[in-house]
Structure formats: structure tokens, C-alpha cells
Amino acid sequence: MRRRLPRRRVNRRRKGLVWLALIFTGILVVVAGWRWWKPQKSVISGGGRVNLVWEKPVSLASLDLDGPTLTLVMVPEELELTLPYGMGNFAARSVAQLGRQEGKGLSLLAEAMMLSLHTGVDGWVGETTGVMGFEILHGKAAKLPVVKRLSLIWQADSSLSLGDKMRLFWLTQKLGEHEVEVLDLSETRTVKENQHPDGLTAIKLDKARVLALESRILKDSLVVEESLKIEVLNGTDVANLARGVRQILQTSGARVIAESQGEKLLERCLVKSDREVRKSATVDKILRWFGCSYADTKLPGRSDIQIILGTQFSE
């Protein structure tokens, strides 16, 4: 006959198992939270504008935090985007998959959108239901039900922290459909057809018209208000690199007073300013957009901020 354990010992074992289960669950929660939270500086704070690249449909979601209002720039799937690292041009629909194959993930799509649309990009989000909680129907934005909009928070393939995803969710919760503007580039004069030698037709952006359009609709109120004087130096042997960066900055409303060739070649992009200017939204955005390092320096001359582009940026 099997001997029964005293009730007190049985209860002690049960409590031990319960504590083990709670500890194990706690570890899982911490690991999952660390994975989704991604301890990093928030890209959504205060006012100004936040530009996010969406994987599907390929688009730029530009949220003006002062409103808030939302502008969705829809990119045709067949539109050719300029890729960094000397990778040439690819159709927008193929860039995300190419980035995964090359081990760069969605950062490749974000960089291609920045180079092609000439606007800064603050982050990217993988495929979710709709774009920023809205479904695009016949050129209009229709708000999705709450359950579907929650897909933004649980999308792990994103550069955003969990905190930023939750902020986005609550901000878009407040947005009405009348506060969302949908801009389909295929319906504007910014795109043009281009005939390849093999007879295939590609869609390309008209650079001058894109710059004119986005400089009008994507200005950042914080950058404009700060009105800091920026100098862009090309620290590489790649021609016109400083001009391209100047155009990206000017789309946001930044005040670029000069661009020139640097005296020596640098490997990594470098931003210089004094300590007070470092606290500005303009410097924050430059560091985030171009992946630069920072040096606290008292600049001679008229400029408040100096950007020296490096070879890593030009690749």
C-alpha cells in the first residue's frame, strides 16, 4: 500500500511549482518586453513631424504631431527606387524582399525611400493591416476597427520601440478620416514613364517635381522654428553627395547655408555643433536620418551645425 505524503508537504510542493511557473512566466514577459520595447530614444515626442516607411503597401506615412494630421504618400509598386550601396534601381515592390536577402531587412527600403523621395525617414514598419491604422480605398483613408489597428503594436519587424508603437496607436485613435490626406504618386505629375533599351517600360520620379511637392507638404515645424544654419561638407570623393543631403534637409524646412567639398576623407558621417545646439530637434533628426556620429565643437563662421559626409554614407 502506497504511503501518503503529509498534507503540509503536498501543499509545500504545490506552492513551489506555482512559484516556478510564475518565475518562468516573468522571464518570458521580460524577454518579450525587451524584444518589443527596444530601449532606444523615442522618435515620437513633443511636436514636429515623424516620417515612417511602410512595407505594404509601400508608402510614407508622415504624421504631423502638432495637429495631429496624417499624410500618406502612396508609392506605385512598379516605381523605380534608388538603392544605396551602389545597388542600382529596383521596383518598389521588390526592395523589402531584397533587403531581407541581403541581410539588411527593411532598413534598405527606408534608405531607398529617403534617397528617392528626398525626405528624412525616422523609422520603418513591416506589413500590417492597413497603413497607420487606415485602409486606402479609392484614394481615401478609411479607419480600421480597433482589433485590426492593434497589428501595429504586435509587428516585431519594425525599427520602433513598443513605446512608440503604443503612442502611434493612441495618436491615430484620435485622428478622424478628414484629418488624413492620401497622396498617390501615380496620380500626380511627379512620375513619368521611361523606356528601357529592352523595350520594357519603367516608372520613374521626376526629381524636380518631387522636391517641389514634398517641400510644400512635409515641412517639420520644429526644424523650421529652430532655423539653425547648416553647412554640409562632402568628406568623400563621390560627386554631388552634399547636394543630395541638402535636398533631404530642405524638404523638412532646414536652413542649409552652404555645401562644399571637405578637406579630408572620412569613413563615417560626422555632425558638429556646440552643446546647446546638440539639444535641438534638428540635430536629433540629422543623427537619426544619416546615422552620423557626433562631436561637441565650437564652430567658426556662420554655421550652427556642420555635417561632414563619410564613405559609409555614400556606399
Side-chain angles (χ1 to χ4, degrees):
M1 189 171 178
R2 188 177 296 176
R3 184 181 177 186
R4 291 185 179 182
L5 291 172
R7 181 172 296 179
R8 186 176 298 177
R9 189 179 299 179
V10 172
N11 290 338
R12 195 177 301 158
R13 285 189 177 184
R14 285 176 180 172
K15 286 181 180 179
L17 290 173
V18 169
W19 276 110
L20 283 175
L22 288 173
I23 291 169
F24 182 70
T25 303
I27 292 172
L28 289 178
V29 169
V30 169
V31 170
W34 184 266
R35 177 189 175 192
W36 279 318
W37 190 268
K38 295 180 182 176
Q40 61 191 49
K41 190 167 184 179
S42 172
V43 301
I44 305 170
S45 58
R49 184 175 291 275
V50 177
N51 295 328
L52 301 173
V53 168
W54 235 258
E55 177 185 3
K56 199 169 185 180
V58 180
S59 51
L60 179 77
S62 184
L63 181 63
D64 185 351
L65 298 172
D66 297 326
T69 57
L70 177 64
T71 302
L72 301 178
V73 181
M74 312 306 296
V75 175
E77 288 189 347
E78 61 273 21
L79 180 71
E80 287 193 352
L81 298 180
T82 301
L83 270 59
Y85 317 109
M87 296 174 70
N89 298 327
F90 278 80
R93 63 174 174 270
S94 308
V95 178
Q97 185 59 35
L98 178 64
R100 292 188 176 99
Q101 291 173 0
E102 296 293 324
K104 300 181 184 300
L106 288 179
S107 66
L108 184 66
L109 177 60
E111 291 179 72
M113 291 280 277
M114 182 170 72
L115 293 173
S116 302
L117 300 182
H118 308 287
T119 188
V121 170
D122 298 292
W124 61 88
V125 179
E127 184 176 352
T128 61
T129 305
V131 180
M132 201 79 93
F134 291 87
E135 185 179 13
I136 312 305
L137 298 170
H138 310 296
K140 300 290 184 181
K143 200 164 192 176
L144 290 166
V146 173
V147 174
K148 291 187 176 181
R149 282 189 282 115
L150 284 171
S151 63
L152 166 63
I153 296 177
W154 304 118
Q155 172 55 271
D157 193 3
S158 170
S159 65
L160 303 179
S161 67
L162 177 60
D164 274 344
K165 291 175 187 176
M166 293 177 70
R167 291 185 192 98
L168 276 181
F169 176 81
W170 291 116
L171 283 169
T172 54
Q173 172 77 6
K174 300 174 184 177
L175 281 174
E177 294 176 357
H178 65 284
E179 295 170 308
V180 181
E181 178 184 7
V182 178
L183 182 64
D184 188 339
L185 292 181
S186 64
E187 301 295 327
T188 69
R189 298 174 64 192
T190 60
V191 296
K192 56 184 179 180
E193 289 188 353
N194 186 56
Q195 195 79 20
H196 284 306
D198 58 7
L200 295 176
T201 301
I203 298 179
K204 291 196 171 185
L205 287 169
D206 186 308
K207 184 176 180 179
R209 287 177 174 170
V210 168
L211 284 170
L213 174 66
E214 299 204 338
S215 295
R216 190 175 73 249
I217 66 172
L218 297 182
K219 276 188 167 41
D220 188 303
S221 62
L222 289 182
V223 173
V224 173
E225 183 180 345
E226 290 172 345
S227 190
L228 295 169
K229 298 184 288 293
I230 303 173
E231 180 184 11
V232 183
L233 301 180
N234 187 356
T236 77
D237 54 6
V238 178
N240 299 321
L241 190 62
R243 181 180 302 174
V245 170
R246 184 199 69 190
Q247 291 167 342
I248 292 171
L249 292 169
Q250 288 178 331
T251 297
S252 71
R255 186 181 175 190
V256 182
I257 61 170
E259 62 174 84
S260 59
Q261 184 65 39
E263 296 179 0
K264 60 180 181 179
L265 299 182
L266 288 183
E267 181 177 355
R268 188 180 179 190
C269 171
L270 178 66
V271 173
K272 295 181 179 181
S273 76
D274 65 31
R275 192 169 301 173
E276 284 302 310
V277 173
R278 172 62 186 91
K279 301 174 184 177
S280 67
T282 303
V283 170
D284 273 346
K285 288 178 180 294
I286 291 171
L287 294 175
R288 183 162 61 243
W289 292 347
F290 305 122
C292 303
S293 56
Y294 176 77
D296 184 359
T297 308
K298 186 68 176 178
L299 295 173
R302 298 183 301 143
S303 59
D304 301 305
I305 303 169
Q306 187 181 80
I307 308 172
I308 308 174
L309 304 175
T311 54
Q312 284 185 350
F313 178 80
S314 65
E315 289 176 349

